[in-house]
Amino acid sequence: MMSPKQTQTAAEISEIPSTIKHQLEMGIETYWAVGNELRDIDVQGYITCARGSSDHAATFFKYLFETHTGLPVASIGPSVATLYKANLKLDGFAAIAFSQSGSSPDILALLDAAGRGGAKTFSVLNVTDSPLGKIAETILPIHAGPEMAVAATKSFVGMLIASLGMLAGYLKDRSIISTLQLLPDLAQEVINSEKELPMGQISKASSLYCIGRGLNYALACEIALKFKELCHLHAEAYSAAEVLHGPATIAHEKFVTLFIESSGIESASMEAARQNMKSRGATVITLESIPKLTNPSNSHCRIELISPIVQIISFYVFVEKLARRFGFNPDLPTGLEKVTKTF
Amino acid sequence: MMSPKQTQTAAEISEIPSTIKHQLEMGIETYWAVGNELRDIDVQGYITCARGSSDHAATFFKYLFETHTGLPVASIGPSVATLYKANLKLDGFAAIAFSQSGSSPDILALLDAAGRGGAKTFSVLNVTDSPLGKIAETILPIHAGPEMAVAATKSFVGMLIASLGMLAGYLKDRSIISTLQLLPDLAQEVINSEKELPMGQISKASSLYCIGRGLNYALACEIALKFKELCHLHAEAYSAAEVLHGPATIAHEKFVTLFIESSGIESASMEAARQNMKSRGATVITLESIPKLTNPSNSHCRIELISPIVQIISFYVFVEKLARRFGFNPDLPTGLEKVTKTF
């Protein structure tokens, strides 16, 4: 329940640990079974359909599946169906829509066109009794409960978990499932924690970069959008490699960069980009990854796969506070609605 | 030749009309033949490999081929090969690398991995005698001549033309080729023109959005990067639909948005986004599309396909001047090199 002082956004963030617990109980076998199916039908590649935060969840799916299965993942813009009315040729592909509400007309149109083009259609969805729920052949419900705040938080986390569950099934890797079981406690821990990003440094930025790599690039996209939506702060996401191809030029003494730290294989390239930014005089802030679990009984944990989830929750707690400090109401982003209809 | 006052960047922009003429003479039959081949071998989809401006050319290819052929185009991040060493499974795919220099180690690694994964490999390339030229099965040379300036201009234009030539061959549509033949004159006209974007309004922006849709979204990406590289101005690209899903919140009275106008099917959605931005108080600037040719003998011209090329040349002329007005040397973007090695 929302206390008089608490925003709807904060209330939904605080529900995340229990939402994850509920999602794992209710959903994990479905995700596992869909992953099994994707492997058994021998798909040749994936199409994703999404917008906004859900599209960043699709980017997480892309890195996850390209690196673990070797199959390509193409994000197709809704306009290919709505505006250009292309006759998609997608035999052998799985088309996966990511949506909280299942009500965006352009995502519906694209998934429908993908199905008519021969793709098997799936939807990672919160509101399952929605138009998108009706047209997808297979639904992966994320069980996040009602999400009223304009800024998606619970549903974004739920989409990452659904993707990890599908990957587990695809690889028949139970260690991913057992790693996911750590999430409710880790999420609660990070919500209770007093640790936060240096608010003062960020509040002085006229604009900033959010930099991640691999799975954390998807996080950087989501973080940049939340800075915009809730704090009216112009933040742009880059991968740690791409940022060195030109975009680095605007980094100077008053420029702020937020690095989404990885504890895994990406850390060396993240460090190279961080040093490059520092050498230009930019202020570098780090959203820490969760440390590797050292208990030997957990040595099979795929902690690098769930670290991004803990990190984004930590960021949500922070950005909601930052918005209020800036004098904005996180529940009322200027001129936005929960379902954007652009078609 | 560079006059004492002229920058290398300006010199290369001024070469574009003759470069296009040369490219069409030398290259168009190759592009046509590759397009034929792509149709004949019945590819199921495309992979693109690129970074920086070349990646924006790959985005142009993506919209062009998805809307006209119905096949998906997946941009795979180089890290999938370099960092994660994924065993790509790309039987039936065509993998196309876009590169000026052909020397970026990460693009080489990705195209090599794509080939080992079963994809047919292609490279749209300026320096054909390069490492990338050696590993691609088929080269599409863009014949742009030496490009010394750090900011790619000639080579970006050349990549768009090569993609249009491939599409013409794929569709066996000679009207696209005859439309391309209009480009050298149109390019010269736009370079000679005194018309330019309102410099004063842009120079007052603390940061800005560049907004396009379809093919012009690729242009918006390229324009945003050039604002950064040459003018140290934080510009971010959005599609006209996506910008309404959250990013619009930061548009206010001092915010500037540059709309990359379309004369085609995209114009209504561009207008809706423009009105949204105006209603928030933002300053709206428009990079005009070239008007439809009205001469009845040209009625089969696919002018909407070449308008983006004329528009980007017009922008290059402008941004080089803007950089100098800001006191930057366009030939020396801070801390950048022509070939960025991130692997």
Side-chain angles (χ1 to χ4, degrees), chain B residues 122-203:
Chain B
F122 299 81
S123 182
V124 177
L125 195 58
N126 193 28
V127 183
T128 51
D129 178 26
S130 60
L132 194 61
K134 289 188 179 63
I135 69 161
E137 290 169 77
T138 304
I139 299 178
L140 296 94
I142 57 173
H143 303 286
E147 188 179 63
M148 312 304 289
V150 172
T153 57
K154 292 193 295 178
S155 61
F156 180 76
V157 166
M159 288 175 192
L160 306 193
I161 292 172
S163 293
L164 286 164
M166 275 191 274
L167 181 71
Y170 189 99
L171 302 175
K172 300 216 182 214
D173 182 351
R174 282 273 164 200
S175 77
I176 297 176
I177 303 292
S178 54
T179 308
L180 286 171
Q181 302 295 344
L182 302 172
L183 271 175
D185 285 351
L186 287 170
Q188 193 61 59
E189 214 173 282
V190 84
I191 287 175
N192 296 344
S193 155
E194 294 294 315
K195 215 170 173 181
E196 58 183 41
L197 295 169
M199 226 179 245
Q201 289 180 304
I202 293 177
S203 66

Side-chain angles (χ1 to χ4, degrees), chain B residues 60 64 160-161 164 175-184 186 215-216 219 290 293 301-313:
Chain B
F60 185 88
L64 202 59
L160 306 193
I161 292 172
L164 286 164
S175 77
I176 297 176
I177 303 292
S178 54
T179 308
L180 286 171
Q181 302 295 344
L182 302 172
L183 271 175
L186 287 170
L215 293 178
N216 282 355
L219 234 61
I290 54 172
L293 299 187
C301 269
R302 301 292 306 273
I303 209 75
E304 79 284 3
L305 296 178
I306 62 163
S307 179
I309 298 176
V310 181
Q311 287 171 279
I312 195 69
I313 297 168

Side-chain angles (χ1 to χ4, degrees), chain A residues 44-47 50-53 55-56 62-63 66-80 82-93 104 106 170 206-209 213-215 224-225 227-250 252 255 265-266 269 276 280 333-336 339-342, chain B residues 44-47 50-53 55-56 62-63 66-80 82-93 104 106 170 206-209 213-215 224-225 227-250 252 255 265-266 269 276 280 333-336 339-342:
Chain A
Q44 300 168 48
Y46 300 91
I47 303 302
R51 281 222 188 269
S53 288
D55 200 31
H56 307 150
K62 176 180 169 72
Y63 276 91
E66 284 183 347
T67 58
H68 285 85
T69 76
L71 296 169
V73 182
S75 166
I76 297 190
S79 66
V80 171
T82 58
L83 222 49
Y84 303 105
K85 304 191 190 308
N87 289 315
L88 291 171
K89 295 175 193 158
L90 298 175
D91 278 329
F93 284 86
S104 295
D106 53 357
Y170 190 99
S206 64
S207 73
L208 68 152
Y209 282 163
R213 197 147 195 211
L215 294 178
L225 181 60
F227 272 134
K228 286 173 178 141
E229 285 180 343
L230 300 181
C231 305
H232 293 212
L233 197 53
H234 190 180
E236 184 175 12
Y238 270 108
S239 95
E242 190 67 35
V243 77
L244 303 180
H245 284 252
T249 39
I250 69 166
H252 52 71
F255 197 78
I265 204 168
E266 306 83 0
S269 87
N276 185 301
R280 294 167 189 272
T334 315
L336 293 187
V339 179
T340 307
K341 296 188 175 172
T342 51
Chain B
Q44 302 170 47
Y46 300 90
I47 302 303
R51 281 222 188 269
S53 289
D55 200 30
H56 307 150
K62 175 181 170 72
Y63 277 91
E66 284 183 345
T67 58
H68 285 85
T69 75
L71 297 169
V73 181
S75 166
I76 297 191
S79 66
V80 171
T82 60
L83 222 49
Y84 304 103
K85 304 189 189 312
N87 289 314
L88 292 171
K89 295 174 192 158
L90 298 173
D91 278 330
F93 284 85
S104 295
D106 53 356
Y170 189 99
S206 63
S207 72
L208 68 152
Y209 283 162
R213 196 147 195 211
L215 293 178
L225 181 59
F227 272 133
K228 286 173 178 141
E229 284 180 343
L230 300 181
C231 304
H232 294 212
L233 197 53
H234 190 179
E236 184 174 12
Y238 270 108
S239 95
E242 190 67 36
V243 77
L244 303 179
H245 284 252
T249 40
I250 69 166
H252 52 71
F255 197 77
I265 205 167
E266 306 84 359
S269 87
N276 185 300
R280 293 168 189 273
T334 315
L336 293 187
V339 179
T340 308
K341 297 187 176 173
T342 51

Side-chain angles (χ1 to χ4, degrees), chain A residues 267-312:
Chain A
S267 58
S269 87
M270 287 294 288
E271 187 53 30
R274 190 188 276 117
Q275 289 309 325
N276 185 301
M277 287 294 162
K278 278 187 180 166
S279 72
R280 294 167 189 272
T283 300
V284 170
I285 294 166
T286 301
L287 180 66
E288 289 177 16
S289 63
I290 53 173
K292 281 189 204 303
L293 299 188
T294 48
N295 183 334
S297 71
N298 282 319
S299 63
H300 291 296
C301 270
R302 302 292 306 275
I303 207 75
E304 78 285 2
L305 296 178
I306 62 163
S307 179
I309 297 176
V310 182
Q311 286 170 280
I312 195 70

Side-chain angles (χ1 to χ4, degrees), chain B residues 7-72:
Chain B
T7 66
Q8 178 68 30
T9 310
E12 292 181 5
I13 295 166
S14 73
E15 287 168 19
I16 292 177
S18 61
T19 305
I20 295 176
K21 197 161 184 291
H22 179 65
Q23 180 182 11
L24 292 172
E25 284 163 8
M26 300 291 289
I28 204 74
E29 290 311 319
T30 304
Y31 312 151
W32 178 272
V34 171
N36 279 212
E37 183 190 349
L38 289 174
R39 193 201 51 245
D40 293 344
I41 61 179
D42 198 20
V43 297
Q44 302 170 47
Y46 300 90
I47 302 303
T48 62
C49 323
R51 281 222 188 269
S53 289
S54 300
D55 200 30
H56 307 150
T59 301
F60 185 88
F61 174 90
K62 175 181 170 72
Y63 277 91
L64 202 59
F65 272 68
E66 284 183 345
T67 58
H68 285 85
T69 75
L71 297 169

Side-chain angles (χ1 to χ4, degrees), chain A residues 249-265:
Chain A
T249 39
I250 69 166
H252 52 71
E253 282 175 24
K254 286 181 183 165
F255 197 78
V256 173
T257 54
L258 173 61
F259 278 76
I260 324 298
E261 191 180 57
S262 298
S263 56
I265 204 168

Side-chain angles (χ1 to χ4, degrees), chain B residues 106-120:
Chain B
D106 53 356
I107 300 305
L108 275 171
L110 179 56
L111 195 70
D112 184 50
R116 282 185 282 112
K120 289 210 170 265

